[in-house]
Amino acid sequence: MHQTDHIYRTVEKIISPIYEVGGSVRDGLRGVEPADFDFATPLSPDAIEQCIRAHNRRPFLTGKRFGTIGFKLEGLLVEVTTFRVERYREGTRNPEVSFVRDLVEDLGRRDFTINAMAREGGRLIDPFGGREDLEARSIRCVGNPALRFKEDPLRMLRALRFAAQLGFEIEETSKRAIARWAHRILQVSKERWVAELDKMLLAKDCDKGLRYFMNTGLCRFIIPELSLQNGYDQRSAYHARTLWEHTMAVTVSVPADIHMKWAALLHDIAKPFVRIDKEDRSTYEKHDLLGYEMVRRLGAYLRWSNQRIEEVSELVRDHMRDTSPLRSADNNSKI
């Protein structure tokens, strides 16, 4: 693509040898203009920095100890990383980094095959079958999925997020590994959870990500109250869907505003706790008020900002009112 080729040629004039890697290669093959660019090189971090400074550009050195140095190019952030491998100690996401001279070793440390491709000029370097998986619309781990997720459990949520953003399916072995190791997500910070879930909720196919979120068991460890909706039968004259199916339908249908998306996801979180069965139907009185309290506690647990806690909890509290922006989506999703 024109922009990608231009960026590559410009970076190559600053640092050489250079390889475009990761998401921009994936997006280029999909015909999508990348939002940012990552490059890899056998040069040392010191040599990368010197090359950038020699071209009168300011290097960003925050990630230098891990081999990554960034700089701005025509308003875009470009990051260049020395070829590296990572070793994770048990129970930590902080890897020990070693620099290497081989590109394939560097690509082999990455999460999914569609992110483990590189480009050198017009030549695609694809040692793990990423292009084939891209064409098959499949998210598959590089190497052993259990090892990939044990190394960095956040990759499990990343798989869900990519499924939602790209509309892809998670390959069966990788999906089973997420279900097996879902509990390891508890090793990851709440802020990291929320960053991935935000992207998933705003994605075009967020319902695909939400189905994986529930069916792999990740929901049970991240939002256990919400996991009670899985298979929960609320079907009646008022509801044609199960509670989780209804929640997903509402979440999909609201505008792509992150507070609205979270409110839609959580608007019926209290229903299983207030259910009263009568002869002809079940009622859920005050579930909006209890939901308000539950969302405030959940927001604090997830380390949301005070503003997000206020806005999402108030949307949940008011979702049954005629003036609520959730009201029409809630009603339309009952049938």
Side-chain angles (χ1 to χ4, degrees):
M1 300 181 71
H2 177 72
Q3 183 199 32
T4 301
D5 291 339
H6 171 66
I7 294 293
Y8 180 90
R9 288 194 299 269
T10 305
V11 173
E12 190 178 33
K13 291 176 183 176
I14 299 171
I15 301 165
S16 183
I18 200 75
Y19 300 85
E20 182 189 356
V21 294
S24 62
V25 178
R26 178 197 70 227
D27 289 343
L29 290 172
R30 294 174 58 234
V32 176
E33 287 285 2
D36 49 43
F37 290 85
D38 292 312
F39 293 87
T41 179
L43 299 180
S44 70
D46 285 338
I48 297 170
E49 181 183 355
Q50 289 169 10
C51 289
I52 294 170
R53 292 190 187 279
H55 285 78
N56 297 316
R57 297 181 181 273
R58 183 168 68 89
F60 302 141
L61 303 177
T62 305
K64 183 177 178 180
R65 67 192 182 99
F66 298 113
T68 299
I69 298 177
F71 63 96
K72 283 292 184 70
L73 183 63
E74 299 177 12
L76 294 170
L77 175 63
V78 170
E79 291 189 328
V80 181
T81 302
T82 302
F83 294 165
R84 70 188 192 192
V85 293
E86 299 164 346
R87 186 169 68 86
Y88 290 81
R89 290 171 294 169
E90 182 70 22
T92 178
R93 290 186 61 246
N94 298 320
E96 296 176 356
V97 172
S98 300
F99 300 127
V100 296
R101 300 288 299 176
D102 183 59
L103 173 63
V104 174
E105 276 191 86
D106 178 271
L107 295 175
R109 70 179 169 83
R110 297 170 188 268
D111 49 9
F112 309 113
T113 61
I114 59 173
N115 297 330
M117 296 180 283
R119 187 172 75 98
E120 182 187 26
R123 181 172 72 101
L124 181 68
I125 302 166
D126 182 17
F128 304 104
R131 185 167 196 167
E132 183 178 345
D133 286 333
L134 197 64
E135 292 170 354
R137 301 174 64 82
S138 178
I139 297 167
R140 179 168 61 90
C141 288
V142 174
N144 185 330
L147 179 60
R148 293 283 85 84
F149 296 140
K150 287 169 68 177
E151 285 174 344
D152 184 358
L154 185 66
R155 288 170 173 161
M156 296 185 286
L157 277 180
R158 282 172 56 83
L160 273 57
R161 188 249 292 180
F162 281 123
Q165 289 180 326
L166 303 176
F168 287 12
E169 302 293 335
I170 301 174
E171 175 268 334
E172 191 62 33
T173 304
S174 300
K175 184 172 67 175
R176 288 199 302 268
I178 296 174
R180 171 67 180 84
W181 298 103
H183 64 282
R184 292 234 177 184
I185 201 64
L186 296 173
Q187 297 174 359
V188 180
S189 72
K190 312 298 189 303
E191 292 88 348
R192 295 277 188 150
W193 294 355
V194 171
E196 292 296 329
L197 291 171
D198 282 357
K199 294 174 185 176
M200 184 182 79
L201 288 170
L202 292 171
K204 177 175 62 72
D205 292 304
C206 73
D207 55 328
K208 187 180 289 288
L210 286 171
R211 288 188 187 279
Y212 284 125
F213 186 54
M214 186 64 77
N215 294 340
T216 59
L218 282 169
C219 182
R220 184 159 51 96
F221 293 100
I222 294 176
I223 313 177
E225 305 93 328
L226 189 65
S227 70
L228 297 178
Q229 294 189 6
N230 192 26
Y232 190 94
D233 189 359
Q234 65 159 7
R235 286 172 291 187
S236 66
Y238 303 96
H239 280 279
R241 293 183 168 103
T242 64
L243 184 54
W244 179 236
E245 290 167 343
H246 166 73
T247 291
M248 286 193 293
V250 175
T251 306
V252 167
S253 64
V254 299
D257 170 86
I258 194 58
H259 294 158
M260 284 284 287
K261 287 291 188 181
W262 273 105
L265 180 65
L266 302 174
H267 78 285
D268 279 345
I269 194 169
K271 271 192 170 181
F273 299 93
V274 297
R275 177 173 178 160
I276 298 175
D277 292 323
K278 299 183 178 179
E279 279 191 19
D280 58 338
R281 63 190 178 95
S282 299
T283 62
Y284 302 91
E285 293 182 12
K286 310 292 187 185
H287 77 277
D288 48 346
L289 300 181
L290 178 58
Y292 169 79
E293 297 295 340
M294 291 176 68
V295 168
R296 293 184 71 82
R297 289 195 295 270
L298 176 64
Y301 172 71
L302 294 177
R303 297 175 186 166
W304 286 353
S305 67
N306 289 336
Q307 180 187 1
R308 179 175 290 194
I309 291 172
E310 292 297 328
E311 292 199 27
V312 176
S313 63
E314 288 175 8
L315 283 166
V316 169
R317 181 194 63 198
D318 298 339
H319 80 269
M320 296 181 67
R321 298 180 183 178
D322 290 338
T323 56
S324 168
L326 283 175
R327 184 64 170 167
S328 61
D330 188 31
N331 286 335
N332 291 338
S333 299
K334 291 177 181 176
I335 56 175

